Amino acid sequence: TLSKFVAFDEYNCEVMQGYILELPDNDNKSNISRINEGEYECVKRHSEKYGNHFHVLNVFDRSYILIHHGNYHSDTRGCLLPGDRLVDIDGDGLKDVVNSRRTMRKLYDTMDEQFKIIIKNQFL
């Protein structure tokens, strides 16, 4: 599933836009579904696997939902993958997100240590 994202600063001014790649809706089932529509708290996080990324907190019936780099549908098991363009990189007929690492770095540098995200079911 592809969606558009808009990031705002603490003054509610738009600071960047891009796209999010997620799994399709499969009733919020772990590892095979996108998360439910709603408002969530996020915090900055670091791991060896993903480097700097975000942890989406308090997702109903789910744990460790992250916003991290990745380009393909196979790169997510329920996490959100940001990018700045949509292209079918691998020729499988599905659009992928492009420049995910760069978009993730820009988001990480832009966002506060803790912030809110709003997930809406508005797909491309």
Side-chain angles (χ1 to χ4, degrees), residues 38-90:
E39 186 172 303
Y40 300 95
E41 290 291 325
C42 291
V43 294
K44 287 184 173 180
R45 187 172 184 271
H46 183 86
S47 71
E48 190 171 313
K49 182 174 183 177
Y50 297 117
N52 291 333
H53 60 281
F54 304 109
H55 184 183
V56 183
L57 304 174
N58 302 317
V59 178
F60 179 73
D61 267 354
R62 303 284 290 277
S63 61
Y64 287 100
I65 300 298
L66 307 177
I67 302 172
H68 64 79
H69 63 81
N71 300 97
Y72 308 102
H73 294 264
S74 60
D75 290 334
T76 182
R77 292 181 19 219
C79 295
L80 294 83
L81 310 179
D84 65 5
R85 289 186 299 127
L86 303 175
V87 175
D88 181 5
I89 301 169
D90 55 3

Side-chain angles (χ1 to χ4, degrees), residues 4 6-7 32 36 44 67 74-76 89 99 101 104 107 120:
K4 191 164 186 162
V6 180
I32 62 167
N36 289 328
K44 287 184 173 180
I67 302 172
S74 60
D75 290 334
T76 182
I89 301 169
N99 298 319
R101 286 182 191 270
M104 190 64 224
L107 268 173
K120 293 183 178 180

Side-chain angles (χ1 to χ4, degrees), residues 93-105:
L94 301 171
K95 294 214 176 174
D96 308 297
V97 289
V98 179
N99 298 319
S100 186
R101 286 182 191 270
R102 180 172 55 195
T103 303
M104 190 64 224
R105 272 193 305 273

Side-chain angles (χ1 to χ4, degrees), residues 1-17:
T1 302
L2 293 162
S3 307
K4 191 164 186 162
F5 79 80
V6 180
F8 298 92
D9 65 13
E10 66 271 19
Y11 306 107
N12 207 27
C13 295
E14 184 179 313
V15 291
M16 70 180 289
Q17 291 186 34

